[in-house]
Amino acid sequence: MSRTIQQFKAEFFKALAHPMRIRILEVLSEGSKNVNELQTILGSEGSAVSQQLAVLRNKNVVFGVKEGTTVVYSLRDPLIKDLLEVAKRIFDNHLVDAISLLEDMRKES
């Protein structure tokens, strides 16, 4: 694998390395939103949402289109939705394994 691709992947995953950014991407997976809509859905102040959107924009994960006085944000690549779903399935698998381990430990005691 080329070093360029590895660098791209590292930078891409750095962009995802924040809970609010993940949540923003989950919301945008359902459709485009402006900052006010994101703020309401996330229950967070606008400056925090704007700051996280800036990171995602700078890493080319989302893009904004100006509509009048507002900017509407969307996922740059719809495959991000699939990536988030795969990550959730991996988490679910780990959770199932942890529950099974705990049940085995409880049976042994």
Side-chain angles (χ1 to χ4, degrees):
M1 185 181 318
S2 87
R3 192 154 184 83
T4 304
I5 292 172
Q6 291 170 340
Q7 186 63 37
F8 169 81
K9 287 179 181 180
E11 292 300 317
F12 179 80
F13 283 111
K14 281 183 198 175
L16 303 182
H18 190 282
M20 183 180 285
R21 291 196 290 264
I22 295 291
R23 186 64 185 120
I24 289 170
L25 295 175
E26 289 171 343
V27 170
L28 292 179
S29 291
E30 299 167 7
S32 302
K33 304 274 186 278
N34 65 39
V35 174
N36 289 334
E37 292 170 321
L38 287 167
Q39 178 182 347
T40 299
I41 292 167
L42 299 171
S44 183
E45 60 186 57
S47 61
V49 172
S50 294
Q51 181 181 20
Q52 300 308 326
L53 279 168
V55 172
L56 293 169
R57 224 179 24 252
N58 289 337
K59 298 293 185 181
N60 290 316
V61 178
V62 301
F63 69 98
V65 175
K66 192 152 179 130
E67 291 184 3
T69 59
T70 64
V71 178
V72 177
Y73 290 92
S74 302
L75 298 178
R76 181 158 305 277
D77 190 323
L79 287 174
I80 292 169
K81 182 177 182 175
D82 296 337
L83 177 67
L84 294 172
E85 180 56 36
V86 168
K88 182 184 178 309
R89 290 190 347 233
I90 291 169
F91 172 80
D92 290 348
N93 289 342
H94 285 276
L95 188 59
V96 166
D97 290 345
I99 290 170
S100 295
L101 179 62
L102 288 171
E103 287 173 348
D104 290 345
M105 290 171 61
R106 188 174 30 208
K107 289 175 188 174
E108 292 175 2
S109 52

